[in-house]
Amino acid sequence: LSLLIAAASFAQENEHSFLVVPRLEANPYIGGNQTFDLGNTSLYTLFEGELGEHFSYSVMNHWLSSDPGALYANTLRSDDANWLDWAYLTAYVGNFDISFGKQGILTGSIEQSDFDYDVCPNLSSTVWNHFFTYNWGLALGFTNDEENTYLAAQVTTSPFGEYNNSGLFTYSLYWSGEYDFFKPMWSVNFLEYDDALGENDKGMVYMLSMGNLFSFDDVDFYLECVA
């Protein structure tokens, strides 16, 4: 069960919105141990808007969960969820945009693109449940209006680093678009990790994600591959 409470205010040139999203979930388990857990029970807020013609901002907070203490204990961690999902500022210059702050790692995953409060973890993939995507960084994007194409390059701290100052980074290249009934979302990600047992201080994980959404009238289906 997910509830959405929304409030919006508007200025002459700027638009701002504030959403409060409480979610109550109970997952019963039937078998040897007849019990249940609170699943994705949570409380989120989303505050975003425009600052003139050339700037926008977005802040998503995750105030409560089924284990709220962990959210605050993880405040400075880069490898797990905490009370601040993202907080970034975006500047627009022509067809280019640049974003700075805590943001989602650009992955070609349709599953990852949903808001967390819309997701049921028990029905989600191992990648969604164990790959933490919100980290501090910088992204540069380009939009081709005529072809409905978006290209971006991004550098963030790595989710394989224990803390934000671990010195480990993730480098991402991203492509998405909308071409009639076909909406691709592809990425290549290079994720550094601490390779203390190897010859070098750092190792690298290479990840290719290809999300493909197909829309026909009122029917949507997607094919996704992560390697």
Side-chain angles (χ1 to χ4, degrees):
L1 174 62
S2 181
L3 303 175
L4 175 65
I5 301 173
S9 62
F10 303 92
Q12 288 185 341
E13 297 182 355
N14 302 329
E15 180 178 332
H16 310 273
S17 65
F18 182 70
L19 302 179
V20 179
V21 187
R23 178 181 175 118
L24 177 61
E25 182 177 306
N27 299 316
Y29 296 91
I30 300 174
N33 294 321
Q34 296 185 4
T35 182
F36 73 95
D37 64 39
L38 295 177
N40 198 21
T41 295
S42 51
L43 175 64
Y44 289 88
T45 59
L46 175 60
F47 185 37
E48 56 187 0
E50 300 173 358
L51 302 172
E53 297 181 1
H54 300 290
F55 296 92
S56 68
Y57 65 91
S58 182
V59 180
M60 172 78 87
N61 291 104
H62 187 177
W63 300 113
L64 294 174
S65 70
S66 57
D67 183 16
L71 292 176
Y72 299 92
N74 290 339
T75 294
L76 299 178
R77 297 186 72 97
S78 57
D79 61 350
D80 206 346
N82 58 52
W83 57 272
L84 179 64
D85 278 356
W86 68 72
Y88 60 87
L89 179 69
T90 304
Y92 304 91
V93 181
N95 284 10
F96 290 90
D97 61 82
I98 184 168
S99 298
F100 175 78
K102 191 175 185 182
Q103 54 196 272
I105 295 174
L106 293 174
T107 61
S109 171
I110 296 171
E111 181 184 45
Q112 293 281 3
S113 67
D114 289 335
F115 287 113
D116 287 358
Y117 53 70
D118 287 329
V119 175
C120 180
N122 287 356
L123 300 178
S124 299
S125 70
T126 301
V127 175
W128 189 94
N129 277 283
H130 296 285
F131 178 49
F132 181 65
T133 63
Y134 301 128
N135 271 292
W136 294 88
L138 178 73
L140 175 64
F142 172 77
T143 302
N144 186 325
D145 296 326
E146 295 180 358
E147 298 180 359
N148 298 317
T149 299
Y150 182 70
L151 303 172
Q154 181 191 55
V155 179
T156 69
T157 52
S158 173
F160 294 127
E162 187 174 2
Y163 292 97
N164 293 316
N165 62 351
S166 64
L168 302 173
F169 297 93
T170 293
Y171 308 92
S172 305
L173 297 174
Y174 177 83
W175 165 55
S176 67
E178 184 173 346
Y179 314 106
D180 196 13
F181 63 88
F182 176 48
K183 298 178 182 179
M185 183 185 298
W186 292 17
S187 72
V188 178
N189 306 94
F190 308 89
L191 304 106
E192 292 181 340
Y193 67 92
D194 184 4
D195 189 20
L197 300 179
E199 296 181 359
N200 301 312
D201 293 334
K202 297 178 183 179
M204 186 79 74
V205 173
Y206 306 94
M207 186 171 73
L208 173 65
S209 302
M210 296 180 290
N212 304 279
L213 176 64
F214 301 90
S215 299
F216 303 97
D217 295 326
D218 296 328
V219 178
D220 293 339
F221 71 92
Y222 70 89
L223 176 65
E224 186 165 303
C225 175
V226 178

